Amino acid sequence: MTNLSSQIGELRSVIINSLVAFSIIVSFIILFYQGQKVQLVPMAVKHKHQEMQDKMAAEHHEQRGELSLSVPDPGREECNWSTGRWVYDNVSRPLYSGLKCTFIFPELACDKYGRKDVMYQHWRWQPHGCDLPRFDAIRLLEKLRNKRLVFVGDSLNRNQWVSLVCMVEASIPDARHKMRSINGSLISFKALEYNATIDFYWSPLLLESNSDNPIIHRVEYRIIRADKIEKHASFWRDADIIIFNSYVWWRKHKADMRMKVMYGSFEDGDARLDEVEMIDGFEIALKKLTEWLGKNIDKNKTRIFFAGSSPTHSWASNWGGEGKNKCLNETEPIYKVGYKAADYSMMEKAKSYFGTLEEKGIHIQILNITELSDYRKDGHPTVFRKQFAPLTKEQIMNPASYADCIHWCLPGVPDVWNEFLYGYLMYK
């Protein structure tokens, strides 16, 4: 009898322990799936865009089987960073906060000026067959220790300068270790601990022109001085790294728009004014710049880059929208693989001129950011920026009329341009 009671007690203990274990397992499963539901929300957003991209890529490959030949081999040492696709990434992007960057310009701070959708901050460029080097601000500052990097060009080059300064500043939290100064056409950022300087110099047409004042200049009426570059060059002569950019100021706003070219000077009494096509004026500037670089650059000291053409998105019919809307209300990139609306001809002209310096041992690296930027119709400030003049009633009634579809919100597309620059400086 005692033995039977003991067996029953043992059986009861086993059953109770089993029930406890079972309830623990069930509770764990319930908690696990509840956690999975929480995680499914951001992942679903990511997968939605990824599926769209994969679908468009598959359709493009079916239509153009030969495209696969242009995708770089992952096993190759060199990889073409310029061809790839945008991947929605709400984990590692953005690289900094536009609201916290103390050096951001008000015409680029879209979230500060009312833009509510921030998806434009969460796209990462993924080249075919390789990855872009991961940006490391401290490694870059070490590379720039006791050096000077200067961006030379127009407001798009300034856009890239602001981006890089914000990317770097995020790693220098102490305000005592960084400073910014403005001296006319020159804006300087300095990381004091590294004695590293990152400058921007306003020179939109490269040569001396009637647009040399960064604040007061006439967009429609442009004059360049064909043989005058030294005034500008004196600001970049001592730089260790130079990034030139000059495209948008050579584009036509109207069919009959032409560039005025001044030869000689009023002081010497031999001034002469010609009119040429905008593209011919661009070549005049490239020729003079190339001559100056060939005679003055120390190839053992200075690295030179020329930024690729930044596309505008001023006509929505290019991607199937209503043309007059420009890029207004666009919140996602163009998904069609191989989409191409940008003009590459000016970049090709720049390459041909800079190629003549190779025989002197001077290599100018083109930062080919045109294709990747062409997809990003969603990345512009449109109306979400500081307006430096009061809006008219007509503009208020028609927001597309003053929407900025040329410059880029930050954080955003120019951050990738700087990842290209970082990759070349650190690894190539």
Side-chain angles (χ1 to χ4, degrees):
M1 187 71 177
T2 302
N3 188 36
L4 179 61
S5 299
S6 175
Q7 289 177 345
I8 290 172
E10 289 176 2
L11 181 61
R12 183 185 296 113
S13 178
V14 168
I15 292 171
I16 291 171
N17 287 339
S18 298
L19 288 171
V20 170
F22 177 75
S23 63
I24 291 172
I25 292 170
V26 170
S27 299
F28 176 78
I29 291 172
I30 291 170
L31 288 171
F32 175 78
Y33 279 104
Q34 284 178 338
Q36 286 294 92
K37 287 178 182 177
V38 172
Q39 294 297 320
L40 283 174
V41 176
M43 292 301 290
V45 174
K46 182 176 180 180
H47 288 168
K48 173 187 172 225
H49 301 296
Q50 199 66 57
E51 287 169 5
M52 174 69 78
Q53 289 173 315
D54 291 341
K55 179 182 176 185
M56 296 300 293
E59 290 176 358
H60 187 70
H61 279 279
E62 287 175 10
Q63 294 166 5
R64 294 184 58 192
E66 74 275 10
L67 182 68
S68 61
L69 298 174
S70 68
V71 177
D73 179 359
R76 286 170 48 188
E77 269 187 42
E78 293 294 324
C79 177
N80 184 2
W81 295 340
S82 299
T83 61
R85 62 177 182 167
W86 288 96
V87 175
Y88 189 73
D89 181 351
N90 56 358
V91 177
S92 70
R93 299 291 159 140
L95 298 176
Y96 56 91
S97 167
L99 296 174
K100 292 181 180 178
C101 178
T102 55
F103 297 94
I104 200 165
F105 279 40
E107 63 266 33
L108 311 172
C110 303
D111 47 359
K112 179 179 178 180
Y113 284 88
R115 183 164 179 174
K116 300 302 181 187
D117 67 286
V118 292
M119 279 177 53
Y120 67 91
Q121 300 184 9
H122 295 289
W123 293 92
R124 172 174 52 82
W125 179 249
Q126 179 62 58
H128 294 310
C130 63
D131 295 312
L132 278 173
R134 184 181 179 87
F135 182 82
D136 186 326
I138 300 303
R139 285 198 66 197
L140 177 63
L141 288 170
E142 286 290 356
K143 182 80 172 178
L144 296 178
R145 185 181 289 275
N146 300 319
K147 290 187 172 70
R148 179 177 180 237
L149 179 155
V150 56
F151 291 89
V152 176
D154 55 29
S155 56
L156 284 164
N157 221 17
R158 186 172 60 207
N159 208 160
Q160 186 176 356
W161 174 84
V162 175
S163 163
L164 184 61
V165 167
C166 287
M167 291 165 76
V168 168
E169 188 218 9
S171 295
I172 312 176
D174 193 332
R176 294 171 298 177
H177 294 164
K178 57 199 173 187
M179 62 175 287
R180 184 180 78 171
S181 62
I182 301 177
N183 181 17
S185 295
L186 183 68
I187 310 173
S188 293
F189 168 86
K190 195 156 191 172
L192 301 177
E193 182 181 349
Y194 299 87
N195 191 33
T197 304
I198 303 175
D199 286 349
F200 167 74
Y201 179 72
W202 173 265
S203 179
L205 295 163
L206 300 177
L207 304 176
E208 290 184 30
S209 74
N210 67 337
S211 301
D212 286 347
N213 188 307
I215 298 173
I216 305 169
H217 45 255
R218 296 179 62 183
V219 174
E220 296 293 336
Y221 186 79
R222 300 173 188 178
I223 304 173
I224 56 172
R225 300 188 69 177
D227 52 354
K228 299 293 183 180
I229 196 172
E230 190 59 43
K231 183 185 80 172
H232 293 325
S234 64
F235 284 91
W236 69 64
R237 182 187 292 274
D238 68 337
D240 299 280
I241 301 158
I242 310 172
I243 303 97
F244 291 102
N245 179 315
S246 183
Y247 291 105
V248 72
W249 279 67
W250 302 97
R251 293 173 183 159
K252 285 189 173 186
H253 294 292
K254 298 183 296 185
D256 61 348
M257 189 173 179
R258 290 165 68 83
M259 178 63 73
K260 292 175 175 59
V261 183
M262 181 178 172
Y263 295 88
S265 66
F266 291 112
E267 294 80 7
D268 296 334
D270 59 349
R272 176 170 58 88
L273 204 62
D274 285 348
E275 278 195 3
V276 299
E277 291 295 332
M278 300 300 288
I279 191 67
D280 296 327
F282 183 56
E283 290 198 59
I284 290 171
L286 288 173
K287 183 174 183 292
K288 187 62 181 179
L289 176 63
T290 304
E291 288 175 358
W292 189 93
L293 293 173
K295 292 176 182 176
N296 295 279
I297 283 297
D298 181 351
K299 64 184 179 182
N300 298 314
K301 175 194 175 186
T302 306
R303 291 194 67 176
I304 306 171
F305 298 85
F306 202 86
S309 177
S310 173
T312 63
H313 292 90
S314 298
W315 201 249
S317 57
N318 286 341
W319 57 85
E322 189 172 341
K324 66 180 181 181
N325 288 339
K326 298 170 71 174
C327 64
L328 196 66
N329 300 323
E330 296 290 351
T331 59
E332 298 186 46
I334 294 165
Y335 293 114
K336 182 181 178 182
V337 178
Y339 172 82
K340 187 175 179 179
D343 180 7
Y344 288 76
S345 61
M346 295 175 72
M347 194 160 64
E348 291 303 317
K349 284 192 180 295
K351 282 183 182 179
S352 66
Y353 274 92
F354 296 144
T356 63
L357 293 173
E358 294 287 345
E359 61 187 30
K360 296 184 178 182
I362 300 173
H363 177 65
I364 299 181
Q365 179 66 54
I366 301 290
L367 293 178
N368 188 359
I369 49 79
T370 306
E371 178 180 323
L372 66 93
S373 306
D374 215 2
Y375 293 113
R376 293 300 306 276
K377 60 180 171 60
D378 61 310
H380 300 284
T382 64
V383 299
F384 301 108
R385 51 166 290 171
K386 181 177 180 179
Q387 304 298 330
F388 293 97
L391 297 175
T392 65
K393 290 182 179 179
E394 291 75 14
Q395 287 176 318
I396 294 172
M397 293 291 291
N398 180 21
S401 65
Y402 68 96
D404 182 351
C405 297
I406 296 176
H407 302 97
W408 301 92
C409 294
L410 295 178
V413 174
D415 302 337
V416 178
W417 304 353
N418 285 317
E419 286 180 297
F420 274 41
L421 177 62
Y422 172 82
Y424 280 116
L425 290 176
M426 303 303 294
Y427 300 105
K428 294 194 178 186

